[in-house]
Structure formats: C-alpha cells, structure tokens
C-alpha cells in the first residue's frame, strides 16, 4: 500500500481489509466490523460468480451493485436490504474519499433504490401488560436487573455494560456492598449516571472498555422503586469484580466476575425473547425483540404518557449543549418529577395496556 504526495491511497491489495482496519481505528465495535465484513465479502463473492469482467470490488460499477441489491430481494426483509446497501455505500464512499477508488458506484444506486425499502421499519408493538408478563418469566436476578434497567432507562446496550458502581446512587437495605457515588450524583438520590465518555479501546475508571457510549452528553436518569428493587436483588448476589473499576453488571457464567459485555446482554434478551415467541432466527427488526427494542419501547411509551418530548430526549441522551443544560439545571424539579409520575410498571401493578 502506498500514498501519493497528497496522502491519498494509491494501491490497496485487499480493499475490504483496508476499510475494516481503518474503521477499527475509528472506534467501530468488533460486532459492527463483523457485520461489515460479512456483507462486503458476500458482495465480493457475488461479483466473482456473476460478473466475469469484475476481478476486484474496485472494478464494480453501478450495474453490478444494483444487480447485487436485486439478488437480495426475496431472501431478506426490505429493511435488511437497506442496511446492506448502506454498508456497501459507506465502503465505496470511504474508499473514494481516501483516494483508493476513483468513484462510488453506490451513490446513484442509493438514489435509485425503491421507496418500498423502509429504513425506519415499524417495530413489533407490545403493550405494557405484555412486557410485564415477559419480565415475570425471568427468574435470574442478574437477567431481570439487566432487562428492567434497559426498560426503565432507555439506555443503549454498551451504555448499560459500561456502568460502574460509582454511577449508581441508591440506598439498599439488603446489600453489604459499599461504594461512593460519583460527585455528579450529589443531591440526586436514587439515580444512575450515564456518561458520554467511555469509548471502545479507551481506559475509563482504570479499565479499558470494549464498548462505546453514544450519548451527546452525560445524563442522570432517576431510579424508581421498581428498578431499585431489581438492582438490590442483583447486588445482593453480585460476585466480586475482576476489574478495579467495579462494574455494576458482572458475568455469572463462563467469565465469572468480569464486566458484562454487549454480546452477553444480547444472549440474555434473545434467550428469553425466544421462549416468549418474540425472536426467530432470520426474523428482522419488525419481528424480533432485541436489547435495542427496549430503547424503542421506553421512548414510545414514556413520550406518549408524558407528552414531553424534550424530557424523553434528555433521558435518551439525544440532546446536547444549552438544551441539555436546561434539563440538568431542572433535574430535580422537572426531569425527576416527570419521570416518576409517568414511568410504567413492568414488575408489578395492574396489567394495563
């Protein structure tokens, strides 16, 4: 591989490997990189089988890209096809920008894709009563605490895995563990702090992280009595942590005492979703319940109950700058009160819709 006088890439033996390495340096997770490689290698194989004139992916033109997209129809859901197309588009756009490819043949293809491809699909709609039944079927304290935390906070999987004990401020009568909550939680009782700092490969609180938080700015989320009870049940049996960072959620299986990883959380949710008929191999976003579904559930139900889009955006970590300063300043008066008045019950209460 070489670069010209401007630093542009001139020669790349394996463009896909080059792209993946660069994305790794940019902080993409291993799971994301695996998804990119799977799709890009599938496209590469398709070119070799269907187009004799195309020896490498850099030779593909708009027609070849469109033919691959067409070959996916009938095998995958429209939303999945849209995702695969976006992967290929990002690959070609990046390689074009660094000078390895002369053009991005997917640019026009993306414009030509049928409007029937829904990039924001309607997800399975579940009532609060149905979700309560789902939670009731989970008996392990760790698994219940993980699911209820996702349901009650709307945080992403990586954000949940990056939580340390210091990020939690709550009183637990039956927990012998002692820790000092971070200063950001002073005068904010019964709350959890979600930082915008952790990123994959960086050291936070003395531990190199394997997942990134994607918040635009730190957020303090109230902990209601229901979530507090689930966390107390978990912390009462929590093993000693391997990491000095004292992660909140630890593995109790093969990696005993180590920080729970996003793949661990996906395994937990998939296992119970399958048992509940909410997950099927090959099922798409519209059908399967995954950890990210709980973020959708949180957003939909809390926004409908409060009518306060700004508070929900703050809790999700979707706002930054002066906007979030308003919610930080009024956390006790507005955010906490609004949240506690409207958050749904998932472990008790009437089986309401």
């Amino acid at each position: 591989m070489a670069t010209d006088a401007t630093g542009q890439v001139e020669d790349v033996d394996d463009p896909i490997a080059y792209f993946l390495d660069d994305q790794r340096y940019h902080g993409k997770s291993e799971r994301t990189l695996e998804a990119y490689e799977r799709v890009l290698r599938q496209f590469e194989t398709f070119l070799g089988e269907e187009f004799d004139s195309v020896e490498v992916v850099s030779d593909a033109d708009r027609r070849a890209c469109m033919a691959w997209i067409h070959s996916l129809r009938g095998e995958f859901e429209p939303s999945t096809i849209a995702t695969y197309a976006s992967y290929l588009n990002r690959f070609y756009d990046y390689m074009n920008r660094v000078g390895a490819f002369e053009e991005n043949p997917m640019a026009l293809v993306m414009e030509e894709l049928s409007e029937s491809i829904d990039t924001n699909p309607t997800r399975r709609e579940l009532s609060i009563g149905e979700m309560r039944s789902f939670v009731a079927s989970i008996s392990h304290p760790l698994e219940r605490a993980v699911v209820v935390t996702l349901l009650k906070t709307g945080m992403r999987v990586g954000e949940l895995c990056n939580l340390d004990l210091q990020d939690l401020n709550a009183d637990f009568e039956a927990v012998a563990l002692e820790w000092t909550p971070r200063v950001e939680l002073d005068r904010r009782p019964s709350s959890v702090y979600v930082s915008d700092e952790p990123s994959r490969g960086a050291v936070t609180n003395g531990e190199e992280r394997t997942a990134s938080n994607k918040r635009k700015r730190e957020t303090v989320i109230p902990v209601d009595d229901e979530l507090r009870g689930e966390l107390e049940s978990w912390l009462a049996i929590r093993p000693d942590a391997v990491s000095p960072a004292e992660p909140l959620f630890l593995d109790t299986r093969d990696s005993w005492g180590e920080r729970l990883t996003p793949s661990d959380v996906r395994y937990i949710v998939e296992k119970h979703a399958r048992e509940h008929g909410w997950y099927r191999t090959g099922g798409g976003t519209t059908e399967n319940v995954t950890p990210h579904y709980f973020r959708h559930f949180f957003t939909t139900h809390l926004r409908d109950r409060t009518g306060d889009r700004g508070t929900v955006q703050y809790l999700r970590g979707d706002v930054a700058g002066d906007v979030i300063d308003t919610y930080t300043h009024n956390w006790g008066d507005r955010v906490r009160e609004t949240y506690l008045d409207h958050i749904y019950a998932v472990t008790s209460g009437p089986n309401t819709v």
Side-chain angles (χ1 to χ4, degrees):
M1 178 176 60
T3 57
D4 61 19
T6 67
Q8 295 286 285
V9 177
E10 291 183 326
D11 182 33
V12 177
D13 293 333
D14 186 344
I16 294 176
Y18 177 87
F19 170 76
L20 294 173
D21 282 343
D22 270 22
Q23 297 308 300
R24 183 175 287 106
Y25 296 144
H26 287 309
K28 295 293 186 183
S29 70
E30 287 302 320
R31 182 169 181 266
T32 297
L33 294 174
E34 288 171 3
Y36 271 118
E37 181 166 27
R38 183 179 67 254
V39 172
L40 294 176
R41 294 300 183 190
Q42 178 183 345
F43 173 67
E44 183 179 49
T45 299
F46 172 82
L47 293 177
E49 294 176 346
E50 301 295 330
F51 290 87
D52 295 335
S53 60
V54 179
E55 296 183 359
V56 292
V57 292
S58 58
D59 294 337
D61 57 11
R62 180 194 64 84
R63 179 172 171 270
C65 292
M66 200 64 189
W68 179 66
I69 297 296
H70 180 73
S71 74
L72 302 177
R73 300 180 189 276
E75 183 179 356
F76 299 101
E77 288 192 3
S79 59
T80 301
I81 297 174
T83 298
Y84 287 6
S86 70
Y87 286 179
L88 192 59
N89 181 52
R90 290 170 191 168
F91 165 69
Y92 275 115
D93 181 65
Y94 183 83
M95 297 302 284
N96 173 245
R97 287 174 182 270
V98 299
F101 293 173
E102 294 182 359
E103 62 178 350
N104 174 10
M106 278 296 294
L108 186 57
V109 173
M110 295 299 288
E111 297 179 10
E112 295 173 340
L113 282 179
S114 169
E115 293 183 359
S116 65
I117 290 185
D118 186 1
T119 58
N120 187 24
T122 300
R123 297 175 182 270
R124 176 194 290 268
E125 292 301 327
L126 298 172
S127 69
I128 294 171
E130 289 174 312
M131 190 59 74
R132 189 174 297 126
S133 175
F134 174 74
V135 172
S137 69
I138 304 173
S139 59
H140 194 289
L142 169 62
E143 297 177 356
R144 276 179 67 94
V146 164
V147 169
V148 174
T149 298
L150 290 172
L151 281 169
K152 290 282 191 170
T153 66
M155 66 178 68
R156 300 175 178 87
V157 175
E159 294 167 347
L160 177 137
C161 293
N162 276 323
L163 290 175
D164 296 330
L165 283 178
Q166 69 167 1
D167 298 320
L168 176 64
N169 184 14
D171 294 326
F172 301 109
E173 296 179 359
V175 176
L177 275 173
E178 294 185 3
W179 68 90
T180 302
R182 58 167 63 240
V183 295
E184 291 89 345
L185 295 177
D186 286 350
R187 297 185 298 279
R188 293 181 177 180
S190 296
S191 55
V192 62
Y193 177 90
V194 186
S195 175
D196 63 340
E197 179 183 349
S199 60
R200 181 183 174 278
V203 175
T204 301
N205 195 20
E207 180 187 353
E208 182 176 334
R209 302 305 171 105
T210 59
S212 299
N213 287 10
K214 299 180 180 180
R215 301 211 159 218
K216 294 184 178 179
R217 194 169 164 185
E218 68 277 2
T219 310
V220 178
I221 305 175
V223 172
D224 70 348
D225 289 342
E226 200 169 55
L227 177 54
R228 187 196 61 77
E230 296 301 329
L231 290 173
E232 183 171 36
S233 296
W234 154 241
L235 290 173
I237 68 164
R238 174 184 174 273
D240 292 336
V242 173
S243 168
E246 290 291 344
L248 176 59
F249 295 111
L250 304 173
D251 189 20
T252 58
R253 300 171 64 248
D254 297 337
S255 301
W256 181 267
E258 295 185 3
R259 183 183 298 275
L260 212 62
T261 67
S263 62
D264 294 327
V265 177
R266 286 189 287 270
Y267 169 80
I268 290 170
V269 173
E270 179 184 330
K271 177 181 68 174
H272 292 289
R274 281 185 184 278
E275 294 173 353
H276 227 71
W278 293 353
Y279 193 99
R280 177 182 63 84
T281 300
T285 306
T286 61
E287 179 181 358
N288 287 347
V289 169
T290 64
H292 191 71
Y293 177 86
F294 298 135
R295 184 169 167 84
H296 161 77
F297 186 91
F298 173 87
T299 302
T300 300
H301 286 280
L302 196 58
R303 187 176 56 208
D304 289 349
R305 284 170 162 241
T306 64
D308 187 340
R309 189 179 188 89
T311 295
V312 175
Q313 286 181 316
Y314 163 77
L315 293 169
R316 282 172 49 93
D318 289 342
V319 288
D322 294 340
V323 176
I324 204 170
D325 287 337
T326 300
Y327 291 97
T328 301
H329 178 72
N330 295 326
W331 187 87
D333 297 330
R334 179 175 181 177
V335 175
R336 183 175 180 82
E337 182 177 327
T338 300
Y339 177 90
L340 293 179
D341 283 348
H342 296 92
I343 190 61
Y344 41 79
V346 292
T347 67
S348 60
N351 201 31
T352 55
V353 176

